Amino acid sequence: MSKPLILVLGDQLSFALPTLRQTPDNAVVALCEVAEEASYVPHHIHKIGLFLAAMRHFAQQLREAGWQVHHSALDDPDNTHSLIDEAERLARAYHCDHILVVRPGEWRLWDAMQSRANSTIPWQLVEDDRFFTTPDDFAQWAQGRKQLRLEYFYREQRKRSGLLMQADGKPLGGQWNFDHDNREPLPDTFTPPQQRQHSIDGITREALDVAARHFPAHIGRIDNFNWPVTRQQALTELDDFIAYRLSDFGRYQDAISDTEPYLFHARISVALNIGLLSPREVCHAVEQAHLEGLAPINAAEGFIRQVLGWREYVRGLYWTQMPEYKTRNGLGFQRELPAFFWDGNTDMRCLKRAIEMTIDNSYAHHIQRLMVTGNFALLCGVKPEALCDWYLAVYADASEWVELPNTLGMVLHADGGLMGSKPYCASGKYIDKMSDHCQHCRYSPKQVTGPKACPLNSLYWHFLETHRPELNHNPRMKLIYGSLDRMKDEKRDAMREQATQFLDQLTSAPGYGQPTHTGGYYSD
Ligand code: DLZ
């Protein structure tokens, strides 16, 4: 009788996984902690702790549900520290004749697994049906379209899922998209909603200790870890969001605070991306909250658009465009990552706080990622591979399928405009409008040149000038190039000079934070 080894990856921690739904009684389920996955980019210590803790809890729950489970721990002397090698080692040890795995979250692993389809112990890949769409669904939607715009994809998704739809096939509230209601800055005084403190039990404690012991040089401190690591904890995080934050999620979605990292954001992307919550259940919970009068339509629609629209859209793009997508560099950027991305040591307040919050929590909300760190990297021309590796490493919710299109496509406009019709570039004015950072900053967002001028201002115009050949023809950039053209030559020269001086003194950090030796495995 055929006997499978079911490999459950660290971001597949769900009983609804297709490989766990219909399997023979003799199957062995394997979860593998491996050093390679923690160090191929130098992941934040919270992220490593999260994966180890959540995998250990899930292994225990599988055992309690009657499965035969093998959990390879980082400390196991026989551990090969590679997902592929470890699964094959366990398949041999348990006399399994094939390995079953759901599509992983990264092309790198998918490719390695596919290439073993005909090996002695063949690998079989199963489609991940926990998402609303499969890569094939997306490919079908994309076929024959010149532009792959989110809005059209999203409308199809609403129709297909029935979420926020009326019986007559029209969108609830009379509009598909309430984005224009979702751009308010925070009021001068506001009380931020409380964040839940998740309990740390013995399993989690040990996992966090292991992470800290094995990867002492990785960014972050383990003692303020506060992510859900079980389904139960993830559900409490979802309940908290709906009860205390959803109603204001919409209008303050783009606001940035100098002190509050989470504001009204859901904090569920981490649980969602490792499988503890399903996209369907969170969308239905939010829809229900709206129907019960707990949240206005702009909040519910804004949230559902992120999960049903954006999240599925970037995943579709990733799987249909890889591996070529990762090599794109549409604006020809060559700069290494600025060194302060690893320690927040800069006097630009917005960047300092976004990076400090990232170091503290392995989290920053989407506008901090897109319009603070992302915008700065775009204006300075940081090369895609350096920035993508950083985002993948530092954020607990970052899997390559979601991180790569967001960073390479949205932030750096490096995919030739496939995702975004124009680059998301902004000057200090935007930061001043949407945040309270500038009040605490030594630079002025109102000045463009001179010692007090916010560097984002001259960098913004310098970026537009430098990339005129690629961007000038874009109708959405016409207005801004008009403003640039109307400037006096002396003003343009002074701004160019200011930006060039800034860029010349910017210290880069090639290799900073990378694993210390070739094995990529830290041990004490
Ligand atoms: C990010 C991560 C880390 C830190 N550790 C593990 C691990 O030990 N075992 C594992 O299966 N996955 C880990 N991951 C996630 C992987 O890097 C990878 O993104 C997913 O497994 C792909 O689905």
Side-chain angles (χ1 to χ4, degrees):
M1 187 188 176
S2 133
K3 180 177 178 182
L5 182 101
I6 302 176
L7 177 63
V8 175
L9 298 169
D11 54 2
Q12 300 178 339
L13 308 180
S14 162
F15 279 92
L17 209 62
T19 45
L20 294 176
R21 291 205 304 261
Q22 291 171 349
T23 38
D25 289 344
N26 63 353
V28 178
V29 181
L31 289 103
C32 306
E33 298 175 3
V34 292
E36 190 172 87
E37 293 306 310
S39 49
Y40 73 97
V41 292
H43 289 301
H44 192 292
I45 202 66
H46 286 194
K47 187 175 185 181
I48 302 174
L50 164 83
F51 274 85
L52 299 190
M55 286 171 74
R56 288 174 183 211
H57 277 285
F58 191 63
Q60 192 195 36
Q61 286 162 6
L62 283 167
R63 275 191 204 104
E64 285 166 4
W67 292 90
Q68 185 184 354
V69 179
H70 182 103
H71 185 92
S72 294
L74 270 186
D75 282 327
D76 286 352
D78 294 338
N79 194 323
T80 58
H81 291 297
S82 137
L83 279 175
I84 303 287
D85 295 345
E86 195 58 5
E88 291 183 351
R89 178 179 80 82
L90 297 178
R92 283 192 297 275
Y94 285 93
H95 306 291
C96 296
D97 52 18
H98 64 292
I99 297 170
L100 267 182
V101 64
V102 169
R103 179 194 286 270
E106 299 202 6
W107 194 89
R108 161 185 68 91
L109 290 170
W110 183 83
D111 187 44
M113 291 167 180
Q114 288 278 23
S115 71
R116 284 163 165 75
N118 299 316
S119 60
T120 341
I121 304 178
W123 286 68
Q124 288 177 16
L125 279 95
V126 178
E127 194 49 86
D128 194 342
D129 59 7
R130 294 169 305 147
F131 290 85
F132 286 97
T133 42
T134 62
D136 280 351
D137 294 334
F138 187 86
Q140 252 177 36
W141 172 79
Q143 206 169 28
R145 288 175 191 262
K146 270 208 202 107
Q147 293 187 316
L148 304 180
R149 292 286 169 253
L150 168 72
E151 189 58 28
Y152 302 114
F153 174 76
Y154 169 57
R155 289 180 192 183
E156 290 290 314
Q157 292 281 85
R158 289 272 296 277
K159 287 181 207 159
R160 271 173 55 143
S161 68
L163 279 160
L164 296 181
M165 295 298 290
Q166 296 176 173
D168 63 2
K170 297 208 167 102
L172 211 63
Q175 280 168 227
W176 291 104
N177 183 320
F178 289 82
D179 211 21
H180 57 79
D181 296 337
N182 289 356
R183 292 176 191 155
E184 283 184 45
L186 293 163
D188 286 341
T189 52
F190 81 104
T191 314
Q194 287 287 311
Q195 299 303 324
R196 175 174 290 264
Q197 197 61 44
H198 291 291
S199 63
I200 307 262
D201 67 4
I203 294 180
T204 306
R205 176 80 280 143
E206 203 178 317
L208 299 184
D209 289 347
V210 168
R213 182 158 48 80
H214 280 274
F215 305 98
H218 285 219
I219 193 170
R221 284 178 20 224
I222 205 70
D223 54 4
N224 63 343
F225 177 91
N226 187 25
W227 290 112
V229 294
T230 61
R231 173 149 170 85
Q232 210 46 48
Q233 290 184 334
L235 285 170
T236 59
E237 195 78 63
L238 175 62
D239 289 349
D240 279 4
F241 169 55
I242 289 179
Y244 308 119
R245 305 198 290 275
L246 173 63
S247 56
D248 283 320
F249 167 83
R251 61 183 178 148
Y252 299 133
Q253 202 182 351
D254 287 1
I256 314 173
S257 160
D258 197 66
T259 50
E260 295 300 323
Y262 302 111
L263 295 169
F264 299 92
H265 291 277
R267 259 182 65 93
I268 61 166
S269 53
V270 166
L272 207 51
N273 290 356
I274 64 170
L276 298 180
L277 294 174
S278 90
R280 285 189 182 85
E281 76 184 326
V282 304
C283 287
H284 284 294
V286 166
E287 180 186 51
Q288 191 56 30
H290 168 66
L291 296 176
E292 286 170 13
L294 297 173
I297 184 73
N298 63 308
E301 189 282 316
F303 177 86
I304 286 175
R305 179 154 29 86
Q306 295 303 322
V307 179
L308 174 70
W310 188 251
R311 186 170 182 268
E312 300 280 326
Y313 170 79
V314 296
R315 184 167 179 268
L317 270 179
Y318 179 80
W319 284 112
T320 51
Q321 304 294 321
M322 280 295 279
E324 183 272 336
Y325 194 78
K326 202 171 173 171
T327 64
R328 293 198 190 183
N329 187 1
L331 297 176
F333 292 158
Q334 293 306 327
R335 184 175 294 278
E336 294 291 347
L337 192 75
F340 71 75
F341 270 57
W342 292 108
D343 57 18
N345 189 8
T346 168
D347 53 7
M348 284 173 283
R349 182 75 184 186
C350 51
L351 282 147
K352 184 180 180 61
R353 292 302 293 134
I355 293 166
E356 285 174 347
M357 288 179 196
T358 299
I359 296 169
D360 284 349
N361 308 314
S362 195
Y363 177 88
H365 63 71
H366 75 132
I367 289 295
Q368 290 175 305
R369 296 190 207 189
L370 180 66
M371 298 309 293
V372 181
T373 45
N375 179 51
F376 181 77
L378 172 76
L379 298 186
C380 294
V382 175
K383 62 182 181 189
E385 64 196 87
L387 192 69
C388 291
D389 279 359
W390 183 77
Y391 276 98
L392 186 60
V394 298
Y395 292 118
D397 55 14
S399 250
E400 195 180 74
W401 65 264
V402 57
E403 173 278 321
L404 188 75
N406 272 301
T407 312
L408 187 144
M410 275 301 275
V411 167
L412 292 179
H413 200 66
D415 63 3
L418 190 66
M419 281 182 87
S421 53
K422 74 178 204 33
Y424 275 81
C425 53
S427 67
K429 223 199 248 173
Y430 175 89
I431 303 291
D432 194 27
K433 183 173 156 220
M434 295 310 296
S435 81
D436 56 347
H437 289 311
C438 303
Q439 302 159 26
H440 307 278
C441 188
R442 87 170 189 79
Y443 297 112
S444 162
K446 299 200 167 56
Q447 295 181 32
V448 184
T449 52
K452 281 206 71 196
C454 170
L456 295 174
N457 291 338
S458 55
L459 288 173
Y460 174 72
W461 294 110
H462 176 264
F463 167 80
L464 290 170
E465 233 186 9
T466 311
H467 295 288
R468 189 189 279 272
E470 299 100 322
L471 303 174
N472 199 20
H473 60 274
N474 183 331
R476 295 195 63 199
M477 303 294 286
K478 211 174 154 172
L479 215 63
I480 201 68
Y481 275 108
S483 305
L484 182 62
D485 292 339
R486 280 192 302 279
M487 275 178 202
K488 292 215 168 80
D489 282 347
E490 306 86 77
K491 188 170 175 189
R492 269 203 304 266
D493 292 347
M495 288 190 318
R496 194 179 312 116
E497 172 70 20
Q498 176 106 2
T500 311
Q501 265 183 24
F502 178 88
L503 289 170
D504 285 349
Q505 54 77 48
L506 194 61
T507 322
S508 293
Y512 183 96
Q514 295 296 328
T516 49
H517 56 78
T518 44
Y521 182 55
Y522 289 109
S523 70
D524 51 357

